[in-house]
Amino acid sequence: MSFAGINYVAVVVAAVAGFFAGALWYGALGRHWAAALGKSRDDLKPTPGPFITSAVALLVMAYVLAGTIGHLGAVTWSNGAIAGAMLWAGFVITSLAVNYAFQGARRVLVLIDGGHWLIVLVLMGLIIGTIGL
């Protein structure tokens, strides 16, 4: 099932995997993340809005990553992982670092959030590269 070279099954599987990776990451580091924000876990009551935003953003991210991997040539698990890591290094961690620096956020917040997005993008790249376009 593909359109213009994008395998939508791979995109959805990658987005779902990214969502669950985030759940595991922040499940393990949630206390440290909240502390870096200067909040307690009780201050951060879950509501549906951020989860819906996350799901939509992950679908868009997986779609764009699939398109990028497709433009690299050979669609392989290694090219997928490399593409995810390169996009993270070039766009995600740099954006987080700049935004958090101007916000005066604690550096540990960059590490926690940046680590999350590195895992998500590499995992998505592995999945998209393995399933193929």
Side-chain angles (χ1 to χ4, degrees), residues 6-22 54-67 69 80 116-117 119-133:
I6 302 288
N7 182 328
Y8 291 119
V9 171
V11 167
V12 170
V13 170
V16 169
F19 191 86
F20 282 108
S54 177
V56 171
L58 287 165
L59 282 167
V60 171
M61 188 179 289
Y63 180 82
V64 171
L65 182 57
I69 294 167
H116 161 252
W117 289 116
I119 289 169
V120 167
L121 279 164
V122 170
L123 178 62
M124 284 182 167
L126 285 166
I127 290 168
I128 292 165
T130 299
I131 294 175
L133 296 177

Side-chain angles (χ1 to χ4, degrees), residues 11-121:
V11 167
V12 170
V13 170
V16 169
F19 191 86
F20 282 108
L24 291 172
W25 182 260
Y26 287 105
L29 296 174
R31 183 172 50 88
H32 301 290
W33 177 75
L37 290 172
K39 300 188 180 277
S40 72
R41 287 186 99 165
D42 292 334
D43 294 333
L44 302 168
K45 303 254 188 257
T47 61
F51 293 101
I52 293 167
T53 300
S54 177
V56 171
L58 287 165
L59 282 167
V60 171
M61 188 179 289
Y63 180 82
V64 171
L65 182 57
T68 302
I69 294 167
H71 279 85
L72 291 176
V75 178
T76 65
W77 65 268
S78 60
N79 279 351
I82 291 167
M86 294 295 289
L87 291 172
W88 173 84
F91 299 104
V92 176
I93 196 63
T94 54
S95 297
L96 287 177
V98 169
N99 287 350
Y100 290 173
F102 278 102
Q103 292 171 14
R106 297 178 182 153
R107 290 183 192 199
V108 70
L109 192 58
V110 176
L111 297 175
I112 293 170
D113 289 341
H116 161 252
W117 289 116
L118 176 61
I119 289 169
V120 167
L121 279 164

